[in-house]
Amino acid sequence: MAAAEQGVDAARKEKEEEEEQVVNPWEVSAGKGGIDYDKLVDQFGCQRIDDALIDRIARLTGRPPHCFLRRGLFFAHRDLNELLDLYEKGEKFYLYTGRGPSSEALHLGHLIPFMFTKYLQEAFKVPLVIQLTDDEKFLWKNLTIQESKRLARENAKDIIACGFDIERTFIFSDFSFVGGAFYENMMQVARCVTMNKAIGIFGFNLEDHIGKVSFPPVQAVPSFPSSFPHLFAGKDQLRCLIPCAIDQDPYFRMTRDVAPRIGYQKPSLIESRFFPALQGENTKMSASDANSAIYVTDSAKEIKTKVNKYAFSGGQDSIELHRKLGANLDVDVPIKYLNFFLEDDDDLAHIKKEYKEGRMLTGEVKQRLMAVLSEIVARHQRARAQVTEEMVDAFMAVRPLPNMFG
């Protein structure tokens, strides 16, 4: 009996370990079933975006909701309804998002928050601050300060190529900008967060250097308008909306806890699912594995090779079996990528139906994906080629934005 109980306990423990998922700003891992987003929403304490909220955004902006919203790719939020209540009464807000510059070029997953933020900026006609956390990458990666700063400027070119409005957008790197009012807010946040709380939120341990522990206030305070006196002087209670992937949520749980204690409004968040690696949702896109992702520098030939060779398929092992059973769309990476990047809803629905029912083969779906991705990447490369060093300087200049709410 004891041996049987031990066997049951061991099996239970093995199942728990298999299903355990880790999601924080520096690590995303899951069991065989991929990320459990329902569990994540419960764990983090955020809310699901429902159809009523999507319809409300469409009504307030006077334009169709972005496909990322329609398809549940941006799926969770914090206090978005409250922000929209104020917007409906005539109050403005600003957007804040960012990028940790650890690689020369962005992959398509990196573009997701910027594509969505551009839609929000245009739809609500509001200003945007974009933080380049070159200091974070110096602390977490094996990079020099000089290299981190160089990568920040290179990444800024890719961000600018997304088409942001220079009259409403301020891009800054931490190494260049932190000081003055921004630093004062950092110190206020830092004094409100105990080591116990930092360990509980971020999982720091005694082997981590103190630079890591000191970083969270840096990412917190762009949520507060007084951090940007050149933009928002006299508007200390202006609301902030942060579009980000849900792994960034810990930073802003901390921020929202501290904000009322130091006299600021809590930022609102709108959070996305993760963009999967080519090999599937159980693996992570990695800068050390160029075949795990499609990069904005890839040629059409490289995209074709990566999709054909590495994109995990939910199709069956033989044509005969596939015609009979159809594809498993839940694990099929080409379908997941089309979910993000194929704009036509009817076209996407048709592909899913035909593929699921076995009338469309994996090769045909991959061909369609190659065409879609090649067009997006080529368009981005053309835009990126037009971005000059002077344009980067202009976006990063500390300056007022006189028409930012115009």
Side-chain angles (χ1 to χ4, degrees), residues 17 19-23 29-31 34-37 39-40 43:
E17 288 175 352
E19 293 177 351
E20 183 182 359
Q21 61 183 18
V22 176
V23 175
S29 62
I35 295 292
D36 183 338
Y37 287 99
K39 182 178 177 182
L40 208 53
Q43 177 188 340

Side-chain angles (χ1 to χ4, degrees), residues 43 154 266 320 327:
Q43 177 188 340
E154 291 303 306
K266 294 180 179 182
E320 292 77 14

Side-chain angles (χ1 to χ4, degrees), residues 96-103 106 114 129-138 148-160 164 170-178 182 215 218-219 222 228 392 395-396:
Y96 155 41
T97 194
R99 160 80 185 134
S102 60
S103 59
L106 307 188
F114 294 110
V129 296
I130 299 175
Q131 181 182 41
L132 300 173
T133 55
D134 42 9
D135 52 345
E136 178 196 22
K137 294 310 170 185
F138 167 73
S148 297
K149 292 171 73 172
R150 186 187 73 81
L151 291 176
R153 282 188 69 88
E154 291 303 306
N155 285 189
K157 293 172 186 175
D158 278 310
I159 293 168
I160 292 166
F164 289 105
F170 172 53
I171 302 175
F172 67 99
S173 82
D174 289 342
F175 275 134
S176 299
F177 183 72
V178 171
F182 194 101
F215 176 74
V218 186
Q219 187 156 325
F228 306 101
V392 176
F395 270 92
M396 299 183 76

Side-chain angles (χ1 to χ4, degrees), residues 46-115:
C46 43
Q47 298 83 45
R48 281 272 187 177
I49 293 175
D50 57 18
D51 289 341
L53 187 51
I54 295 171
D55 290 343
R56 188 179 187 197
I57 291 170
R59 178 172 57 82
L60 287 175
T61 60
R63 61 167 65 195
H66 196 283
C67 67
F68 292 171
L69 276 176
R70 299 196 305 269
R71 296 171 189 169
L73 302 173
F74 272 79
F75 75 106
H77 74 98
R78 291 184 182 274
D79 288 350
L80 184 55
N81 265 317
E82 182 180 333
L83 183 91
L84 296 179
D85 287 344
L86 295 168
Y87 182 80
E88 199 162 16
K89 293 173 183 175
E91 291 192 28
K92 300 295 187 180
F93 63 89
Y94 72 99
L95 295 163
Y96 155 41
T97 194
R99 160 80 185 134
S102 60
S103 59
E104 189 85 32
L106 307 188
H107 57 59
L108 290 181
H110 294 141
L111 286 186
I112 298 302
F114 294 110
M115 293 169 69

Side-chain angles (χ1 to χ4, degrees), residues 340-366:
F340 276 92
F341 293 118
L342 182 58
E343 292 186 8
D344 189 308
D345 289 344
D346 293 337
D347 197 3
L348 179 65
H350 175 75
I351 291 171
K352 285 182 174 180
K353 186 174 188 295
E354 294 297 294
Y355 191 35
K356 185 176 182 178
E357 295 178 3
R359 289 185 292 275
M360 197 170 189
L361 301 176
T362 296
E364 296 173 283
V365 176
K366 287 189 172 185

Side-chain angles (χ1 to χ4, degrees), residues 24 31 98 144 162 184 260 267 289 340 383 391 397:
N24 62 47
T144 64
C162 292
E184 290 173 15
D289 180 6
F340 276 92
M391 287 174 67

